[in-house]
Amino acid sequence: NLPGNITYTLTIVDNLGCIAIRPVFIFEPQPLAIASVIPQLNGIYNLSCSGSNDGSIDITVTGGVTPFTYLWSNFATAQDIGGLAAGNYTVTVTDANGCSASKSHTLTQPPLLVSNAGSNKVVCGIDSDTLNAVPPTVGTGYWIIVSGNGVFADPNSATTVVSNLSNGVNVFQWVVTNGICSAFSQVVITFNTQIEAIAGSSQEICENSILLGATDPQFGYGYWQTLNSTGDIVDTAEAITFVSGLNPGINSFLWTVINGTCRDSSELII
């Protein structure tokens, strides 16, 4: 258990009094030292995104006697390791003399990005509405059009008016980003064009049958209903259809048109 890097003198004396002297130098290697480099991929964080596995640790060993062996707390045996999630990693380095040193490392990740575009909506007759996303607590947000049409009053505001909606389904996406990572969610605004029911002109006739002549809706569909009549409508789903068996006096029918949540009705009296 002698300290190293010191010259010791060995003196030997035999029975005749003869003396031999020899210097002995004991070499002691420098102690093992571990230096580490952990890249920062997103600001101060070692991972690019929350939940990603792109962290890495590069180490350099000095001192000791080569060759070295490496054992990480995740059971890796390479000098440098990658593909890491956030967490703690410890490496133990052992040299050829069995001397060892350990060092612990912590990999951090940026906060989780959350996107909430709000609830789906159905609007009738007005081609604009207000988008109501949840403002992000981390990062910034902006709107994009996925399908349909729309013009944003302010695409960078969580709450903004979107106009010039196309008839039918319009899909918008709220993107939250920190410059490297993104989270997104979608909201659907269904715009139904307001429609007008035109049942035709009321008439006085002498027969007990007549051709009903409504106008087909531009969007959606229409159907006939009997309000007050013994008449039989041949096809209630056709705007123009035959009705027979009218009773004497007043016969009333209702033409209703529907486009999503938009509806209108018109009465026809025969």
Side-chain angles (χ1 to χ4, degrees), residues 3 32 51 84 108 116 136 142 243 252 257:
L32 286 169
L84 304 177
T108 59
N116 184 342
Y142 61 90
V243 58
S252 60
V257 291

Side-chain angles (χ1 to χ4, degrees), residues 77-94:
T77 56
Q79 177 176 350
D80 304 322
I81 55 176
L84 304 177
N88 298 317
Y89 299 87
T90 299
V91 63
T92 298
V93 180
T94 304

Side-chain angles (χ1 to χ4, degrees), residues 82-137:
L84 304 177
N88 298 317
Y89 299 87
T90 299
V91 63
T92 298
V93 180
T94 304
D95 72 358
N97 289 338
C99 301
S100 63
S102 298
K103 187 175 183 180
S104 295
H105 311 79
T106 299
L107 272 62
T108 59
Q109 62 185 347
L112 178 67
L113 296 175
V114 177
S115 172
N116 184 342
S119 302
N120 296 336
K121 298 181 179 181
V122 178
V123 295
C124 175
I126 302 175
D127 68 346
S128 65
D129 197 41
T130 300
L131 298 170
N132 288 294
V134 176
T137 56

